[in-house]
């Protein structure tokens, strides 16, 4: 195409009905060197989009920071697109008449249109005839053959993802034969090591695009395969299991085998992304609820070009309860700090819990990320109750990325749940709750110490002496007016045992074995009432003597607050140190009930 051709100018979309989108009708009767088509307007609010002529294939791909350098023809005018978009048009267009590609179908220079179209992404990908994950075009010597081999492996296995086994009875019988003494391992690393380098598995926007698609395919170059076959084949071949177990086991069990097996960092991220999307697709199909804060936390380590897209890229996965408010407003004119604060308030209202304010911001981790990822951002001036969603855990399988994958799918409801009572005044969150206790000593008692030693007995006596001479309080906390050493030993054992297994916040699996020295920085504490507590806190902030332990309405666990000086007179202000403090008897929302039993007065507590 001649670069001198008149440039294409987008006609404004009529957003009066808030359902209009553009789709690209590609011309197929031309050679590959000339890409041309027409942008059609479709209204998602009417039945016209279901007309066969206007059914579209939506493309999920990675932008990769490319600049628009490739000219194509739209309605006879020149529009420059990125190289990967040009590759999509050359490879995908023989299969379908209409395509939806965000870089083409949204006027990226129109902020208002972009904000409106983001709200329609869920409908665009859900209503699409099918969604194609496009990994790119192969270089002349490599990736094409890798993906071709993956397609061949999937065809050979013919596995289904609905919990189960190969639908090839001859193959299943061969691997299940009683005559076989040793089953061969089902493994082939080579093609997946190549695929793991594809940036699609690292990106954030693609998550909702793949999760909500009714019919999902994955393609590289000219080769295309259904997502379910691709996911099942990848997990089974990379599990390291023998062929019989790999074929007959559920994908959840097979993924567990992948976790236990060492893979490269890129391979681990690819496998986790594949399995987590598999879980999301199952949950959406079964209409299982997932809290918005849980979704954002799960994918916090995926990459996006803009900091605000850490929220906006997942809007299509947010379950919106209309009786609790309107959907989250998308506005690209806002700063990241404004978006994160608005998202936090929206989550408290929608989820009716304070889970969203409990995510730690570890300054040491953020500093490491900023040094190793030049595209990372840092939001240091956020209120302490607003999470910095720009950074996620950088680990192979651990951390929040696998939390949703390891969850069993139950609703985000915990025992003794109460509704948050709060209001927001600028950067200040004012929450109703109770000051339960105060930190008196740090690491006074080691959970795994032998109390048969002289030092152990001395520490036990120290603990016994720290318990207040308050019979009523001690009965509530320890079951005795004056707790004996045996009672304290039993209390410690119960605390350590329950703390590791209590499903709190983002941790829906057993906590690390060594609580006090775990990656989550679990500090062991002694309180003024004589209770043993464990609390998470970031590396830089830590826990200090005098920190207040609080129970809030809507809180799953206890909170740690620290008094701060403020120029605003009239009330004390606090900084949120941790939303994950554990004291036996106060877990899973029981803090409000315990506070009332202890006679603690209810207060309005201001957090900045």
């Amino acid at each position: 195409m001649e670069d001198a051709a008149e440039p294409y100018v987008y006609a404004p979309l009529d957003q009066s009905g808030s359902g209009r989108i553009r789709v690209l009708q590609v011309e197929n009767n031309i050679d590959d060197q000339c890409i041309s088509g027409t942008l059609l307007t479709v209204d998602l609010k009417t039945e016209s989009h279901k007309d066969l002529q206007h059914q579209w294939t939506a493309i999920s791909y990675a932008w990769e920071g490319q600049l628009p350098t490739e000219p194509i023809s739209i309605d006879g005018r020149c529009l420059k697109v990125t190289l990967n978009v040009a590759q999509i048009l050359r490879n995908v267009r023989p299969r379908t008449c209409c395509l939806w590609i965000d870089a083409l179908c949204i006027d990226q220079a129109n902020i208002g249109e972009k904000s409106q179209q983001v709200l329609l992404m869920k409908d665009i990908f859900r209503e699409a005839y099918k969604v194609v994950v496009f990994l790119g075009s192969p270089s002349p010597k490599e990736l094409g053959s890798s993906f071709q081999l993956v397609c061949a492996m999937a065809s050979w296995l013919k596995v289904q993802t609905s919990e189960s086994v190969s639908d090839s009875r001859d193959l299943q019988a061969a691997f299940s034969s009683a005559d076989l003494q040793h089953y061969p391992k089902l493994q082939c690393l080579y093609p997946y090591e190549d695929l793991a380098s594809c940036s699609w598995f690292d990106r954030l926007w693609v998550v909702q695009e793949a999760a909500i698609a009714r019919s999902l395919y994955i393609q590289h170059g000219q080769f295309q395969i259904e997502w379910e076959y691709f996911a099942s084949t990848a997990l089974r071949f990379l599990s390291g299991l023998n062929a019989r177990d790999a074929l007959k086991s559920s994908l959840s069990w097979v993924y567990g085998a992948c976790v236990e097996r060492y893979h490269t960092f890129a391979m681990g991220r690819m496998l986790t992304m594949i399995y987590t999307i598999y879980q999301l697709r199952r949950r959406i199909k079964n209409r299982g609820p997932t809290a918005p804060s849980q979704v954002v936390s799960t994918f916090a380590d995926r990459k996006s070009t803009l900091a605000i897209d850490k929220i906006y890229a997942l809007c299509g996965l947010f379950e919106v309860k209309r009786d609790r408010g309107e959907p989250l407003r998308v506005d690209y004119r806002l700063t990241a700090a404004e978006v994160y604060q608005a998202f936090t308030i929206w989550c408290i209202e929608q989820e009716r819990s304070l889970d969203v304010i409990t995510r730690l911001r570890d300054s040491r981790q953020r500093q490491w990320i900023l040094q190793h990822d030049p595209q990372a951002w840092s939001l240091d001036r956020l209120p302490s109750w607003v999470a910095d969603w720009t950074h996620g855990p950088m680990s192979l399988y651990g951390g929040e990325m696998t939390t949703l994958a390891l969850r069993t799918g139950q609703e985000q409801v915990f025992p003794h749940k109460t509704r948050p009572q709060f209001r927001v005044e600028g950067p200040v969150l004012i929450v109703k709750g109770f000051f339960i206790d105060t930190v008196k000593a740090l690491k006074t008692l080691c959970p795994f110490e032998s109390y048969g030693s002289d030092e152990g007995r001395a520490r036990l006596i120290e603990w016994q002496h720290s318990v207040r001479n308050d019979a009523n309080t001690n009965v509530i906390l320890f079951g005795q007016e004056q707790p004996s050493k045996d009672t304290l030993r039993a209390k410690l054992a119960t605390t350590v045992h329950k703390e590791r297994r209590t499903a709190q916040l983002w941790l829906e699996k057993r906590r690390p074995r060594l609580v006090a020295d775990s990656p989550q920085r679990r500090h062991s504490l002694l309180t003024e009432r004589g209770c043993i507590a464990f609390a998470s806190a970031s590396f830089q902030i830590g826990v200090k003597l005098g920190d207040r332990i609080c129970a809030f309405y809507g809180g799953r666990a206890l909170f740690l607050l620290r008094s701060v000086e403020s120029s605003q007179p009239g009330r004390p202000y606090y900084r949120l140190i941790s939303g994950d403090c554990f004291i036996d008897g106060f877990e899973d929302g029981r803090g409000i009930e315990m506070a009332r039993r202890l006679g603690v007065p209810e207060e309005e507590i201001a957090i900045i």
Side-chain angles (χ1 to χ4, degrees):
M1 176 188 294
E2 296 291 337
D3 284 349
E6 186 177 354
Y8 179 80
V9 178
Y10 284 92
L13 281 174
D14 180 9
Q15 295 297 341
S16 57
S18 301
R20 292 183 177 272
I21 65 169
R22 302 183 187 93
V23 295
L24 177 66
Q25 189 174 45
V26 186
E27 296 178 10
N28 289 322
N29 56 347
I30 49 178
D31 67 60
D32 271 349
Q33 299 307 311
C34 183
I35 302 173
S36 62
T38 301
L39 282 175
L40 306 175
T41 300
V42 175
D43 192 346
L44 294 172
K45 301 296 184 181
T46 68
E47 295 296 315
S48 64
H49 73 277
K50 297 182 180 179
D51 191 359
L52 182 62
Q53 180 183 359
H54 292 156
Q55 287 187 351
W56 62 90
T57 295
I59 306 299
S60 176
Y61 69 105
W63 277 50
E64 299 182 0
Q66 297 178 357
L67 297 176
T69 57
E70 304 294 311
I72 65 171
S73 174
I74 301 295
D75 297 328
R77 298 181 179 183
C78 178
L79 179 65
K80 288 190 176 182
V81 299
T82 59
L83 177 61
N84 51 11
V85 170
Q87 291 174 342
I88 291 170
L89 294 173
R90 290 191 175 97
N91 287 280
V92 180
R93 66 191 174 111
R95 300 174 182 268
T96 185
C97 176
C98 292
L99 298 175
W100 188 92
I101 307 174
D102 57 356
L104 274 174
C105 298
I106 299 176
D107 183 359
Q108 299 294 325
N110 187 330
I111 300 300
E113 177 181 310
K114 187 175 178 181
S115 299
Q116 183 62 42
Q117 293 287 292
V118 166
L119 291 173
L120 297 175
M121 295 286 265
K122 180 177 181 179
D123 294 327
I124 291 170
F125 281 85
R126 184 177 57 191
E127 296 296 329
Y129 171 69
K130 70 177 178 180
V131 174
V132 174
V133 172
F134 189 77
L135 298 182
S137 292
S139 64
K141 54 183 179 180
E142 48 181 27
L143 226 78
S145 58
S146 295
F147 196 75
Q148 187 177 6
L149 178 56
V150 170
C151 294
M153 290 157 58
S155 298
W156 176 73
L157 281 179
K158 296 182 180 179
V159 284
Q160 300 176 346
T161 57
S162 57
E163 283 310 322
S164 75
V165 300
S166 168
D167 61 6
S168 170
R169 295 187 177 183
D170 293 339
L171 185 63
Q172 183 182 341
F175 283 122
S176 304
S177 171
D179 296 333
L180 290 176
Q181 296 295 320
H182 302 285
Y183 297 104
K185 282 191 175 181
L186 195 67
Q187 62 181 357
C188 184
L189 295 177
Y190 148 67
Y192 295 103
E193 289 174 340
D194 287 342
L195 291 178
S197 64
C198 294
S199 58
W200 187 91
F201 297 104
D202 235 12
R203 304 302 296 178
L204 181 63
W205 269 104
V206 303
V207 173
Q208 72 167 355
E209 297 167 356
I212 63 183
R214 291 183 298 178
S215 177
L216 183 62
Y217 289 77
I218 186 166
Q219 179 172 340
H220 194 279
Q222 293 288 334
F223 296 100
Q224 187 180 102
I225 186 176
E226 291 181 52
W227 173 269
E228 281 71 21
Y229 288 152
F230 168 77
S232 182
T233 303
L235 293 170
R236 296 179 197 278
F237 267 90
L238 296 174
S239 66
L241 298 172
N242 65 57
R244 182 186 63 173
D245 292 339
L247 290 173
K248 296 186 69 175
S249 302
S250 69
L251 278 194
S252 299
W253 198 85
V254 171
Y255 175 73
C258 290
V259 171
E260 294 177 359
R261 185 182 184 192
Y262 175 77
H263 287 294
T264 63
F265 181 81
M267 186 83 80
R269 287 174 69 85
M270 180 187 73
L271 286 169
T272 303
M273 188 73 153
I274 290 172
Y275 183 68
T276 309
I277 289 176
Y278 159 77
Q279 286 284 67
L280 273 174
R281 287 177 60 78
R282 285 188 63 194
R283 185 167 302 182
I284 291 171
K285 181 179 179 180
N286 297 328
R287 298 185 178 181
T290 302
S293 59
Q294 175 72 39
V295 174
V296 174
S297 181
T298 298
F299 296 100
D301 67 341
R302 303 293 98 171
K303 295 180 180 179
S304 63
T305 304
L306 302 176
I308 57 179
D309 282 340
K310 289 287 189 172
I311 307 298
Y312 291 163
L314 298 168
C315 279
L317 298 176
F318 297 163
E319 180 188 12
V320 180
K321 295 180 172 63
R322 294 287 182 173
D323 62 323
R324 303 180 185 180
E326 295 298 317
L328 182 70
R329 184 169 68 98
V330 175
D331 189 347
Y332 276 88
R333 294 168 297 184
L334 300 177
T335 65
E338 291 171 327
V339 172
Y340 291 176
Q341 180 167 327
F343 175 70
T344 301
I345 298 169
W346 183 80
C347 282
I348 296 174
E349 294 171 343
Q350 282 288 316
E351 299 172 16
R352 291 184 175 173
S353 83
L354 296 180
D355 278 359
V356 68
I357 75 171
T358 59
R359 187 173 186 270
L360 294 178
R361 291 185 289 156
D362 194 322
S363 299
R364 181 180 64 169
Q365 182 189 65
R366 178 170 33 203
Q367 183 179 8
W368 187 94
I369 295 173
L370 289 170
Q371 290 174 348
H372 291 79
D373 186 356
Q375 292 186 335
W377 317 276
S378 181
L379 300 174
D380 290 318
R381 296 190 177 182
L382 288 171
S384 64
W385 53 275
V386 177
D388 183 353
W389 300 104
T390 59
H391 310 308
M394 306 295 289
S395 58
L396 189 59
Y397 293 104
E400 296 171 70
M401 184 58 197
T402 56
T403 303
L404 189 65
L406 292 171
R407 283 173 52 82
T408 57
Q410 66 270 30
E411 188 178 357
Q412 286 276 75
V413 174
F414 47 90
H416 308 276
K417 183 174 181 179
T418 55
R419 186 170 178 174
Q421 300 181 33
F422 75 102
R423 68 180 188 274
V424 178
E425 297 179 357
V428 182
L429 177 69
I430 301 174
V431 193
K432 282 190 176 182
F434 305 82
F435 284 114
I436 297 289
D437 214 334
T438 303
V439 176
K440 180 180 180 180
L442 306 178
K443 293 190 176 181
T444 303
L445 297 165
C446 176
F448 306 102
E449 186 174 11
S450 171
Y451 287 96
S453 65
D454 291 339
E455 182 181 2
R457 284 190 291 270
R459 291 201 174 196
L460 190 60
I461 293 172
E462 179 186 350
W463 180 16
Q464 190 177 30
H465 288 166
S466 70
V467 176
R468 287 180 176 178
N469 188 21
D470 185 335
N472 292 333
T473 296
N474 292 341
V475 169
I476 295 171
L477 297 177
F478 303 102
Q480 286 182 333
E481 294 183 359
Q482 290 295 328
S484 65
K485 295 176 184 177
D486 288 339
T487 298
L488 294 181
R489 288 194 189 96
K491 188 67 171 179
L492 178 61
T494 301
T495 298
V496 172
H497 176 80
K498 288 176 63 176
E499 193 275 344
R500 286 193 238 163
R501 291 158 176 78
T502 300
Q504 298 181 111
L505 312 179
W506 326 113
L507 303 173
E508 297 292 344
K509 56 183 185 295
R510 288 188 179 182
R511 293 189 182 279
R513 182 178 179 184
L514 296 176
V515 180
D517 298 319
S518 74
Q520 283 81 20
R521 298 293 298 174
R522 304 289 294 172
H523 300 263
S524 60
L525 316 171
L526 183 64
T527 74
E528 289 187 352
R529 293 184 186 272
C531 295
I532 292 295
F534 294 107
S536 297
S538 71
F539 175 79
Q540 187 178 48
I541 298 173
V543 180
K544 294 182 179 179
L545 301 182
D547 286 346
R548 307 294 299 274
I549 301 174
C550 307
F552 291 136
Y553 287 101
R556 184 188 298 259
L558 298 176
F559 292 75
L560 273 181
L561 302 181
R562 183 172 301 159
S563 179
V564 296
E565 294 183 2
S566 174
S567 59
Q568 303 181 45
R571 71 162 76 236
Y573 290 88
Y574 297 88
R575 181 180 184 182
L576 178 62
I577 304 302
S578 173
D580 189 12
C581 180
F582 178 88
I583 296 177
D584 182 31
F586 292 79
E587 72 277 6
D588 288 334
R590 294 183 177 89
I592 300 297
E593 176 188 343
M594 292 292 286
R596 289 170 176 161
R597 291 179 61 191
L598 291 169
V600 178
E602 180 181 298
E603 301 184 44
E604 283 194 337
I605 302 170
I607 308 174
I608 60 175

